[in-house]
Amino acid sequence: MRALLLVNPKATSTNRRTLDVLLRALGAAVDLEVAETGYRGHASVLAAHAKEKGFDAVAVLGGDGTVNEVANGLMAVDDRAKMIIIPGGSANVLARALGLPNNPVEATGAVLEALREGRSRTISLGLAEWDVSDSGTGAGVESRYFTFCADLGWDAEVIRAVEGLRSAGYRASPTLYMQTALRHYLMTDRRHPAMTLTRPGQRDVPGIFLAIVSNTAPWTFVGSRPVNPTPWAGFDTGLDLLAMTKLRLPAVVNLLRQIVGDPQGLPTGKHLVQAHDESVFTIEAARPIALQLDGDYLGERERVTFRSIPDALQVLV
């Protein structure tokens, strides 16, 4: 098997010693070529051209953002190579949701075992679509796949702020995210909800402050603890949604109490809007709202349609 390993040199847990160990281990099992990503979106470009260059698999050593780019690159071509994930970021949600160890060396061992045994899994993806200005010539539609989550509202504002802090030299950590979340909770508008949920054949649900869209569970991790606002979500079903119609402190604390750790069921509360196994729905907003996919901030949007894409991506697990 010929494999292309894409390495994000800026990933949180990537260092030269770890990379050397991984290269020796993978290089002994497959015909391996290595490329480093140099800019945002580079991994997507490299992955999209992998098949035409004769690679049977694309491996990625990086965080959730780099993994998302590779998934989008592979989905851009019809004849897709298999994907191999080696976690190198701070959260590594997709890798952990697939059952891989969070340690990159241990995860490489699991990948090598999957290679020997020919194990792989085909998973669903989510697709987000939004309207964009087309250079003044009319409206266009932009889209991007996501592997585990998409959010509109407060959480996306936090992602935007953390990206700015990381570019200023701060290291991504649970503490940084929690401090930033608290700061932006105090800054966000908690009195005037802007979003409305629209689903085919169902009544619209207005008055939404925060929308969490999940392709799998958990939604994220705080250190070793999973955060599960949509515990029924999975790669074999459609998209799940949890939205909040109240963002006052008691409502937020009550939700956090229910979703951090291993919940026994769905969160409860009159201020919650929930949906399971949805094929398509739309979130419309009265004003521009922050959007993030798989931990990457993608700007402010006023209308986003989410679609479930079943059997989309083949991953070695």
Side-chain angles (χ1 to χ4, degrees):
M1 174 185 287
R2 287 195 67 205
L4 173 65
L5 173 62
L6 303 180
V7 179
N8 179 3
K10 297 181 180 180
T12 304
S13 61
T14 301
N15 58 60
R16 189 71 244 177
R17 180 177 295 177
T18 298
L19 181 58
D20 288 343
V21 171
L22 303 187
L23 292 180
R24 287 197 296 271
L26 287 172
V30 299
D31 181 6
L32 187 67
E33 184 173 317
V34 182
E36 287 193 352
T37 60
Y39 53 88
R40 187 166 182 168
H42 194 194
S44 183
V45 174
L46 294 172
H49 292 94
K51 194 67 176 182
E52 67 185 48
K53 292 183 177 180
F55 292 103
D56 304 298
V58 177
V60 52
L61 171 60
D64 291 313
T66 309
V67 172
N68 176 278
E69 288 186 14
V70 172
N72 274 271
L74 293 177
M75 291 296 293
V77 292
D78 291 332
D79 192 9
R80 298 189 295 273
K82 293 180 181 179
M83 186 175 182
I84 299 170
I85 303 171
I86 301 172
S90 57
N92 306 308
V93 178
L94 179 61
R96 294 161 81 175
L98 289 168
L100 288 169
N102 197 34
N103 179 283
V105 175
E106 294 178 5
T108 301
V111 164
L112 293 175
E113 183 179 292
L115 282 168
R116 288 193 299 269
E117 299 180 3
R119 287 201 314 266
S120 65
R121 179 180 179 184
T122 303
I123 64 172
S124 66
L125 294 176
L127 178 67
E129 301 172 327
W130 57 89
D131 295 333
V132 293
S133 173
D134 190 14
S135 304
T137 61
V141 177
E142 188 172 330
S143 64
R144 183 166 171 176
Y145 295 97
F146 57 96
T147 64
F148 61 91
C149 83
D151 299 339
L152 282 158
W154 172 34
D155 177 63
E157 295 169 5
V158 173
I159 296 295
R160 173 174 58 194
V162 169
E163 285 187 0
L165 291 170
R166 293 187 67 180
S167 65
Y170 288 82
R171 184 180 183 275
S173 68
T175 299
L176 179 65
Y177 277 96
M178 287 187 287
Q179 291 175 343
T180 307
L182 177 58
R183 184 168 63 251
H184 277 263
Y185 173 78
L186 299 174
M187 295 167 55
T188 195
D189 187 344
R190 304 189 299 278
R191 294 190 176 186
H192 306 99
M195 291 182 280
T196 298
L197 168 66
T198 301
R199 289 176 286 178
Q202 300 190 47
R203 289 184 178 181
D204 292 353
V205 182
I208 291 173
F209 285 98
L210 166 69
I212 294 172
V213 182
S214 298
N215 187 49
T216 190
W219 171 57
T220 190
F221 291 86
V222 178
S224 61
R225 302 185 71 184
V227 182
N228 261 308
T230 53
W232 291 357
F235 293 121
D236 299 319
T237 61
L239 298 175
D240 282 24
L241 169 74
L242 182 139
M244 296 187 71
T245 58
K246 289 184 180 179
L247 211 57
R248 301 292 177 87
L249 186 59
V252 173
V253 170
N254 181 53
L255 177 63
L256 291 174
R257 179 182 57 81
Q258 295 183 72
I259 67 176
V260 176
D262 295 307
Q264 300 302 309
L266 293 176
T268 59
K270 294 181 180 180
H271 57 283
L272 301 180
V273 178
Q274 295 168 299
H276 171 61
D277 195 14
E278 296 283 343
S279 59
V280 59
F281 56 86
T282 298
I283 302 289
E284 298 188 57
R287 60 178 182 268
I289 299 292
L291 168 69
Q292 72 90 8
L293 302 179
D294 285 352
D296 270 0
Y297 174 67
L298 292 180
E300 294 185 332
R301 310 296 173 194
E302 295 182 15
R303 177 186 172 92
V304 183
T305 296
F306 298 97
R307 303 182 189 276
S308 175
I309 311 298
D311 303 325
L313 189 66
Q314 194 172 13
V315 185
L316 267 72
V317 293

